[in-house]
Amino acid sequence: MVYRRDFRRNGVRHRFLRGMSVTNLLIMITAVIFFAFLVASFFYPSFISFVALKPSFILSGIYLWTLFSSIFMHGSFFHLFVNMLSLFFLGNLTEQILGRRRFIWFYIVAGIVGSLFFVLFAYLGTLFYRGDFIFGGIDDLAVGASGAIFGLLGILATLLPRKRVYLIVGPLIVIIIQVLVSAIPNVPTSIASIINIASGILIFVMIFSMFSSNLIFRKIALPLGLPFWLAPIVAIVPLLIIGFFIKLPIKLPIGNMAHFGGLVAGLFYGAYLRNKYKHKVKLLNKIIK
């Protein structure tokens, strides 16, 4: 009886894991890794050097595993929350289209391609004035799943170009304003702390407002409805323009080149799938409006 009971428990656990989408499993794993990282960094502050992506290290041929490990690391709880929220919506839809196995392999590949783009453009940024403000600095640390997530956006932009998606513009504007304010010289530490706390609260309110049934309350987040083909352009190009034309005193904490790399991977793979499965893609566009 004891062995039979254990077998049933294992069966329930096995069915639970099989029933869970790979996307949701990735979210759980990433969250666990994030909190494990917090504990490790508390005891070993230099631990971040072993998991975060640093272009100068990669170009020197060391810590090459960070091209992969950085995908599962995040700089803050807010960073984790935003990426995992995006992964939940984009990932589950993409997984239904690709299937579990293709989805997980592409997610990892897109994340690594995003990391490689970040390293490449960080190097190119050393060749001209303020290039690091546009592409990221060669000694900047980068973490996050957004490169892989932009890969999913690239696939959807190719396979379902007319399906609408909502970008939450409000938090991005708050982050830009926060960077501008923090760059003002001689700002008292107490005021800077209040601004950071207020910004964090406002961003969370904006994000959660999107789940409200009240249409007026939703507008707090400044949602921008776009077709999938336009969404990555709006998400990347304005930030590049800001970095190129507006001389911010400090860098925006956003890895545009990692996003661009993941997007390129998604566009190429999406184009391959669209060409190989033309009939299925047409049927998919009829089913998903």
Side-chain angles (χ1 to χ4, degrees):
M1 290 296 292
V2 173
Y3 286 105
R4 187 176 181 183
R5 185 178 302 167
D6 287 344
F7 174 77
R8 285 178 176 178
R9 287 177 179 171
N10 290 334
V12 169
R13 188 183 301 113
H14 183 62
R15 286 196 301 271
F16 172 75
L17 292 176
R18 288 193 62 183
M20 179 182 294
S21 70
V22 171
T23 299
N24 294 342
L25 188 58
L26 273 173
I27 291 172
M28 290 177 57
I29 292 172
T30 306
V32 169
I33 290 176
F34 170 74
F35 288 108
F37 165 73
L38 286 182
V39 174
S41 60
F42 177 78
F43 292 101
Y44 305 99
S46 62
F47 181 72
I48 190 171
S49 299
F50 294 95
V51 294
L53 180 65
K54 189 174 183 179
S56 59
F57 285 166
I58 301 300
L59 293 171
S60 300
I62 60 175
Y63 297 168
L64 298 181
W65 61 82
T66 58
L67 291 167
F68 170 77
S69 64
S70 60
I71 303 170
F72 295 90
M73 300 297 163
H74 288 81
S76 65
F77 177 77
F78 171 72
H79 187 204
L80 173 73
F81 176 78
V82 171
N83 273 352
M84 294 304 99
L85 183 66
S86 302
L87 178 58
F88 178 80
F89 289 107
L90 295 178
N92 278 296
L93 176 57
T94 309
E95 184 180 343
Q96 290 179 32
I97 296 172
L98 299 184
R100 294 165 65 94
R101 186 172 298 178
R102 281 186 179 180
F103 173 82
I104 187 61
W105 277 113
F106 174 78
Y107 182 85
I108 293 172
V109 169
I112 293 175
V113 171
S115 296
L116 289 171
F117 266 61
F118 185 81
V119 172
L120 172 62
F121 280 92
Y123 169 73
L124 294 177
T126 63
L127 304 180
F128 59 91
Y129 177 64
R130 289 180 68 88
D132 58 331
F133 277 71
I134 303 172
F135 300 137
I138 199 168
D139 288 316
D140 289 349
L141 293 175
V143 291
S146 50
I149 293 170
F150 267 79
L152 306 181
L153 186 57
I155 288 180
L156 295 173
T158 308
L159 299 182
L160 299 170
R162 294 181 180 83
K163 179 177 172 59
R164 294 184 70 79
V165 62
Y166 282 91
L167 293 182
I168 307 176
V169 180
L172 182 58
I173 294 176
V174 173
I175 291 173
I176 294 174
I177 294 174
Q178 186 179 8
V179 169
L180 290 172
V181 172
S182 64
I184 298 175
N186 302 321
V187 175
T189 304
S190 58
I191 295 179
S193 299
I194 292 173
I195 292 174
N196 289 334
I197 294 172
S199 299
I201 294 173
L202 181 57
I203 289 172
F204 273 109
V205 170
M206 286 179 169
I207 292 173
F208 282 110
S209 71
M210 289 299 297
F211 298 95
S212 173
S213 58
N214 189 313
L215 296 179
I216 297 177
F217 186 57
R218 283 188 195 176
K219 292 181 180 180
I220 294 175
L222 301 180
L224 182 62
L226 299 168
F228 264 124
W229 70 267
L230 185 57
I233 298 175
V234 172
I236 294 177
V237 173
L239 294 174
L240 290 178
I241 293 174
I242 290 173
F244 188 79
F245 291 103
I246 302 176
K247 294 185 177 181
L248 297 177
I250 60 175
K251 302 171 189 174
L252 289 173
I254 300 172
N256 279 310
M257 291 302 101
H259 298 173
F260 180 61
L263 176 64
V264 169
L267 293 175
F268 271 95
Y269 189 49
Y272 163 77
L273 294 174
R274 191 177 183 90
N275 182 65
K276 185 175 182 179
Y277 303 104
K278 295 179 181 179
H279 178 71
K280 290 183 178 180
V281 171
K282 288 181 179 179
L283 183 61
L284 186 66
N285 278 272
K286 290 180 181 180
I287 296 173
I288 302 177
K289 299 294 184 179

